[in-house]
Amino acid sequence: MSAAPVRDVGLCLSGGGYRAAVYHVGALIRLNQAGLLPRLRTVSSVSGGSIVAAFLGLHWTKLIFDAEGVATNLDAVVLEPVLQFTSRGLDAAAVLSSAFIPGLISRRVQKRYKALFGSATLNDLPDRQSGPDFVITATNLSSGALFRFSRRGVGDFRKDPDDTSTGFFQAPTIPLVLAVAASSAFPPILSPCLLDASKYSDARGAQRTVYLTDGGVFDNLGVEPLADPAYRIVLSSDGGAPFKRKTKPPLDYLAGTVHVLKVVDLQVRKLRRSELVESARRKERQVAYWALNSTLSEYAAEARKREPDFAVLEVSDLSRNDMMTISTRLAAIDSGQQRRLANWGYACCDAAIRTYAISAPRGAFPYEGGV
């Protein structure tokens, strides 16, 4: 009987709507090929990343791992259903079917998420004996703190999971659709998401309605839950929107508000990325970060300092730029674009993990046609 793998890897799946979800699909394919999935200690997710993470967690115990730590059925059990789900739009229908009543849009979104998650609850995520912790994050509008949903408990994030000062409580019967909807409640359109904490018998200090918005408002990379030194490797997949300079920013109420939120997101993302890089510089851990706007040649230049023959997958600048034009909404992505986007996530992950985390041969695009 082989020994259980050491769980020393943390994985962050960023926000960015359906685009991020499909980008992360490609990354998961590469991480699986590298045998890193069994080493995951925690998967922290935000917004679009929570769609993938929650579904991976829901079906974790169905995965069949071979002797090399590769899940032989990952595609059929997890990835294909996610791709099928993201081929159908969600946000526009939810908005159009609401009356702009606070919380109503979120309830519409939850109803549509049921097509993927059904009636599953937090209790259907794996326990610590059978898999990694899955931490689905949102932002608490009342406290201004990161709010987490996990099998271990629900509430404002604290490094000490037993800290009840912010109303951290056990609520395994919370539906997964509520957790994912809260995590992906992008303001101002899909926000807020209301959680009635008083429904749960062990709510303790949280006997109130909790007003939640997209986790990306506080931490769009999902880094904060991975501060523990037990994580020897931290992997960060960033499918969020690269900021676009505008000579004349929009001035109307809705477009102007969205643009301000993009500026806020830019700052939050820079700070979280710097936090990761600094932890690696202090040699506290190995960090591999890849993003939608990554330049593969930069990874190659770094890796060739120690491995002269290091090669990355071939992706043209035009194809890379095409990926950045895909909407960050929960809007349908057709199958052809999905394959290209997943291939891009794969290529970025491949370059990053081989540069900063593991030694392995270059991978090959999982879907025909490249990027």
Side-chain angles (χ1 to χ4, degrees):
M1 183 176 180
S2 60
V6 176
R7 292 182 181 158
D8 58 353
V9 177
L11 173 62
C12 318
L13 298 179
S14 81
Y18 278 179
R19 182 179 68 184
V22 177
Y23 181 78
H24 298 326
V25 162
L28 284 176
I29 294 173
R30 187 63 185 98
L31 296 178
N32 184 44
Q33 290 176 352
L36 288 169
L37 295 191
R39 291 179 60 181
L40 291 177
R41 181 182 181 90
T42 298
V43 179
S44 174
S45 63
V46 187
S47 196
S50 292
I51 298 172
V52 182
F55 198 72
L56 175 64
L58 178 59
H59 295 281
W60 183 270
T61 57
K62 298 177 184 176
L63 296 178
I64 300 171
F65 291 96
D66 65 17
E68 303 299 321
V70 176
T72 58
N73 59 343
L74 178 70
D75 186 66
V77 172
V78 176
L79 306 183
E80 282 303 320
V82 169
L83 291 177
Q84 184 177 1
F85 181 76
T86 55
S87 69
R88 300 185 297 271
L90 185 153
D91 55 359
V95 172
L96 292 173
S97 62
S98 76
F100 293 95
I101 300 172
L104 180 57
I105 292 178
S106 178
R107 291 197 292 274
R108 300 288 190 190
V109 171
Q110 291 174 51
K111 184 176 180 180
R112 291 179 178 273
Y113 275 142
K114 283 188 176 181
L116 187 63
F117 298 103
S119 58
T121 67
L122 295 178
N123 199 48
D124 293 308
L125 298 173
D127 57 28
R128 279 196 153 178
Q129 285 68 47
S130 56
D133 287 333
F134 285 83
V135 181
I136 300 166
T137 67
T139 301
N140 188 336
L141 289 171
S142 298
S143 64
L146 188 71
F147 191 92
R148 62 176 170 179
F149 294 89
S150 71
R151 177 168 175 151
R152 296 176 63 199
V154 172
D156 284 359
F157 177 75
R158 290 292 183 272
K159 292 180 181 180
D160 177 4
D162 297 318
D163 181 355
T164 62
S165 63
T166 57
F168 187 79
F169 59 98
Q170 301 301 310
T173 58
I174 286 181
L176 268 181
V177 294
L178 192 157
V180 177
S183 184
S184 58
F186 183 80
I189 306 300
L190 302 182
S191 176
C193 175
L194 277 55
L195 167 64
D196 182 2
S198 65
K199 287 183 178 180
Y200 304 97
S201 59
D202 192 24
R204 286 182 273 184
Q207 302 286 342
R208 64 191 190 282
T209 298
V210 186
Y211 295 84
L212 301 169
T213 193
D214 194 297
V217 172
F218 190 90
D219 177 4
N220 201 34
L221 296 186
V223 172
E224 186 157 308
L226 302 181
D228 194 308
Y231 303 104
R232 301 311 306 157
I233 298 176
V234 173
L235 308 172
S236 178
S237 183
D238 184 0
F243 185 78
K244 296 180 181 178
R245 293 173 60 97
K246 289 184 180 291
T247 305
K248 295 182 179 180
L251 299 178
D252 61 280
Y253 177 76
L254 183 57
T257 299
V258 171
H259 186 70
V260 168
L261 289 170
K262 289 179 179 179
V263 175
V264 173
D265 174 74
L266 173 67
Q267 175 70 350
V268 171
R269 194 184 305 273
K270 281 185 174 181
L271 289 171
R272 294 300 182 177
R273 186 168 61 242
S274 296
E275 182 181 333
L276 277 175
V277 171
E278 184 58 29
S279 70
R281 187 176 290 121
R282 293 193 301 265
K283 297 184 178 180
E284 296 173 356
R285 60 184 60 173
Q286 293 171 269
V287 173
Y289 167 87
W290 58 94
L292 195 77
N293 63 342
S294 289
T295 303
L296 300 187
S297 60
E298 293 181 2
Y299 292 108
E302 179 64 28
R304 285 171 186 158
K305 293 177 183 178
R306 67 175 190 280
E307 187 179 338
D309 296 329
F310 187 93
V312 294
L313 290 165
E314 293 185 9
V315 178
S316 70
D317 289 341
L318 180 61
S319 295
R320 168 184 175 272
N321 292 339
D322 281 347
M323 298 300 96
M324 289 186 282
T325 64
I326 300 173
S327 171
T328 56
R329 292 174 42 205
L330 301 177
I333 303 178
D334 67 60
S335 59
Q337 203 169 41
Q338 282 183 338
R339 289 192 293 270
R340 293 180 65 199
L341 182 54
N343 280 345
W344 179 232
Y346 180 99
C348 294
C349 176
D350 175 71
I353 63 173
R354 290 190 300 115
T355 299
Y356 295 108
I358 65 171
S359 177
R362 183 180 66 176
F365 289 123
Y367 301 103
E368 291 184 2
V371 180

